[in-house]
Amino acid sequence: MNTEEKLTILARAAKYDVSCSSSGSTRSNKKGTLGSTHKSGICHSWTEDGRCVSLLKILLTNYCIYDCLYCENGASNDIKRASFTPDEIASLTEKFYRRNYIEGLFLSSAIMKNEDHTMELLTTVVKKLREEYAFNGYIHMKAIPGADQRLIKEAGSHVDRLSINIELPTKRSLQLLAPEKNSKHIISSMKTVSQKIIERTKEKKKFKKAPSFVPAGQSTQLIVGASADSDHDILRLSENLYQNMGLKRVYYSAFIPVTNKHQNILPAVNNPPYLREHRLYQADWLLRFYRFTSKELFSDTGKNLSLDLDPKAHFALNNFHLFPVEINKASKTLLLRVPGIGPKSTKKIIMARKHASLGFDDLKRMGIVLKRARYFITCRGKYFGGVPFKKDIIKNRLIAGPEYKQLSLWESGIT
């Protein structure tokens, strides 16, 4: 099999890996090295089938000893198989970079022979790129859970970001859909990376030239909709990972059936749950930047996010007794819970109200987006929602969205 055929197979096999963000690395180009991760060194662009076009996004191999029910690369699936050697991947990356096709490498793999063997090959790839090819560009690697800690640590010293996929949010789901995987191995490998990041961060504070370890942080990926796990299960896990493992990102991937073999176990999916995936990303954003807790985002009875409303608007309607908030008195925490008001707007409001009482027009002049916020605030005690402050009315307005009118060139008054 020639390189082009391998590339076709293994690039396609990587399309379900979504952890393609490169934020966090700021290593610039140096004399004698190739590539850079600084700012524009990596752009973020995805094709319709999920491939990141700025990174060479491939698997080392799609030969797999596991047979996960949701995975296209499962051992029992009848698909074309291929493997790269470490030299082939390193050479491809270098050539593609020189031709300006890519700006970095995203490398993942199915598990060939065993975890340690696969991890050793992956580590060899990144070591070759850094040491033999002097490649200084961005590298994101998916580590193999359960592989020898020494190999994971060695890989982490050469890559920018390391991911270890959890894939299914509960042990129950993992046992049902991926029984060969071990949740303890996954968590243990993630802890190894997390502890090493903390250790190296402390060293860097003392010694500027101390070697870095996974400078763009650790991430993971969760599949949405392959199991009966609720959004609450998923976000509670994400919250735990952010708080206790220091994860940089959790990625959510809508389940796409790849075979009809397991219809009795996997859910029937006519359309992948992309909207649910989108709502999870919105809720994840609230956890990371708005200081929400996963518990706040769900009502006492609901365990899934609303598909009609974004999580913040849904929270506001479920906690209607907290609103409207007076913009001149509300705490920072409460301002951050007003739909439409984010951290930057909150900061502007808190700074401005130190000098004068703010009115509705003042907020407009400050550039605060009031399209949704106006239903949940008062300014100097006055409500500007334009509709009665009633939960059902505001909910209907939020779902309906703003009314747009197509202007005509031939309306009266226009000549």
Side-chain angles (χ1 to χ4, degrees):
M1 188 179 289
N2 62 38
T3 303
E4 188 174 351
E5 290 173 316
K6 288 183 182 180
L7 194 58
T8 302
I9 293 169
L10 294 172
R12 183 187 182 285
K15 71 178 182 180
Y16 296 109
D17 280 302
V18 296
S19 307
C20 249
S21 171
S22 62
S23 58
S25 258
T26 56
R27 189 177 56 259
S28 58
N29 182 263
K30 296 175 186 173
K31 188 177 181 181
T33 64
L34 183 68
S36 167
T37 65
H38 191 254
K39 294 182 179 177
S40 58
I42 301 288
C43 63
H44 306 252
S45 179
W46 283 263
T47 60
E48 287 184 356
D49 63 357
R51 289 177 294 113
C52 178
V53 295
S54 62
L55 306 178
L56 174 57
K57 185 181 177 186
I58 52 172
L59 298 189
L60 172 78
T61 180
N62 64 345
Y63 286 103
C64 196
I65 59 172
Y66 289 173
D67 198 18
C68 304
L69 274 57
Y70 53 82
C71 182
E72 185 183 48
N73 302 315
S76 66
N77 289 340
D78 182 20
I79 58 172
K80 285 187 178 179
R81 307 272 179 178
S83 287
F84 276 124
T85 65
D87 282 315
E88 286 176 322
I89 295 178
S91 175
L92 270 176
T93 305
E94 191 253 358
K95 288 174 181 172
F96 281 11
Y97 187 89
R98 286 190 183 279
R99 291 172 185 172
N100 204 27
Y101 293 167
I102 60 162
E103 294 166 275
L105 173 66
F106 177 93
L107 182 61
S108 185
S109 182
I111 299 173
M112 182 168 57
K113 292 187 180 178
N114 57 56
E115 289 84 354
D116 286 348
H117 175 73
T118 310
M119 192 66 210
E120 190 165 8
L121 291 174
L122 290 170
T123 304
T124 303
V125 173
V126 294
K127 196 173 177 182
K128 274 181 177 292
L129 275 168
R130 294 298 195 215
E131 295 181 356
E132 294 181 23
Y133 290 80
F135 183 73
N136 203 36
Y138 180 80
I139 299 178
H140 180 171
M141 177 195 280
K142 290 283 182 89
I144 306 299
D148 190 303
Q149 291 188 6
R150 178 185 59 80
L151 292 169
I152 293 177
K153 289 177 182 176
E154 187 175 0
S157 65
H158 294 292
V159 302
D160 295 278
R161 174 165 287 185
L162 206 56
S163 291
I164 296 173
N165 281 359
I166 295 177
E167 295 184 345
L168 296 165
T170 62
K171 288 182 182 178
R172 181 184 64 248
S173 301
L174 199 67
Q175 288 169 356
L176 179 67
L177 304 180
E180 293 143 315
K181 291 190 175 180
N182 186 318
S183 61
K184 288 182 180 176
H185 289 169
I186 297 171
I187 298 301
S188 172
S189 297
M190 293 180 79
K191 282 183 178 175
T192 297
V193 176
S194 178
Q195 288 167 359
K196 194 67 181 174
I197 290 174
I198 294 170
E199 183 185 311
R200 284 291 173 85
T201 303
K202 287 179 180 175
E203 286 178 12
K204 294 281 274 185
K205 287 180 180 175
K206 292 181 181 177
F207 311 103
K208 286 185 177 178
K209 293 188 177 180
S212 59
F213 182 84
V214 194
Q218 181 182 190
S219 60
T220 191
Q221 181 176 338
L222 294 171
I223 300 172
V224 179
S227 61
D229 300 307
S230 67
D231 293 344
H232 185 240
D233 294 328
I234 293 170
L235 286 174
R236 194 170 51 183
L237 173 62
S238 300
E239 184 179 41
N240 186 38
L241 292 171
Y242 287 132
Q243 291 178 353
N244 300 319
M245 292 267 196
L247 250 67
K248 191 77 172 181
R249 285 293 303 271
V250 176
Y251 293 91
Y252 307 97
S253 175
F255 170 60
I256 302 172
V258 294
T259 172
N260 295 324
K261 286 194 305 182
H262 308 293
Q263 288 179 321
N264 57 330
I265 301 176
L266 291 170
V269 176
N270 295 324
N271 296 304
Y274 292 126
L275 181 54
R276 186 181 172 195
E277 174 193 290
H278 177 63
R279 294 291 185 229
L280 283 167
Y281 274 116
Q282 289 179 317
D284 183 279
W285 191 264
L286 296 180
L287 293 181
R288 290 188 292 137
F289 299 108
Y290 288 70
R291 301 180 184 179
F292 271 78
T293 64
S294 60
K295 189 177 178 182
E296 282 181 280
L297 295 172
F298 298 91
S299 63
D300 293 337
T301 54
K303 296 297 179 187
N304 286 308
L305 297 168
S306 168
L307 296 181
D308 295 327
L309 291 166
D310 67 83
K312 202 175 179 188
H314 188 63
F315 163 84
L317 292 172
N318 275 342
N319 296 274
F320 208 61
H321 60 282
L322 298 176
F323 302 95
V325 301
E326 170 53 45
I327 213 76
N328 290 293
K329 296 178 180 176
S331 66
K332 179 180 177 182
T333 300
L334 199 49
L335 285 174
L336 281 171
R337 275 146 182 75
V338 175
I341 294 183
K344 286 185 180 177
S345 296
T346 297
K347 189 176 179 181
K348 282 183 186 176
I349 291 167
I350 291 174
M351 292 296 290
R353 74 188 186 185
K354 288 179 181 176
H355 304 285
S357 177
L358 301 176
F360 195 71
D361 290 336
D362 295 323
L363 296 180
K364 285 183 181 177
R365 282 192 287 272
M366 289 162 60
I368 309 296
V369 180
L370 297 166
K371 187 172 66 178
R372 294 186 302 153
R374 62 188 179 133
Y375 299 122
F376 299 96
I377 61 171
T378 57
C379 302
R380 297 172 187 154
K382 189 174 179 182
Y383 179 64
F384 292 87
V387 295
F389 185 68
K390 291 186 177 179
K391 183 175 175 179
D392 290 343
I393 294 174
I394 292 175
K395 181 179 180 180
N396 290 335
R397 282 297 182 102
L398 290 172
I399 291 174
E403 294 179 3
Y404 297 104
K405 183 181 178 183
Q406 178 66 52
L407 297 177
S408 170
L409 289 172
W410 291 275
E411 285 182 350
S412 59
I414 301 176
T415 57

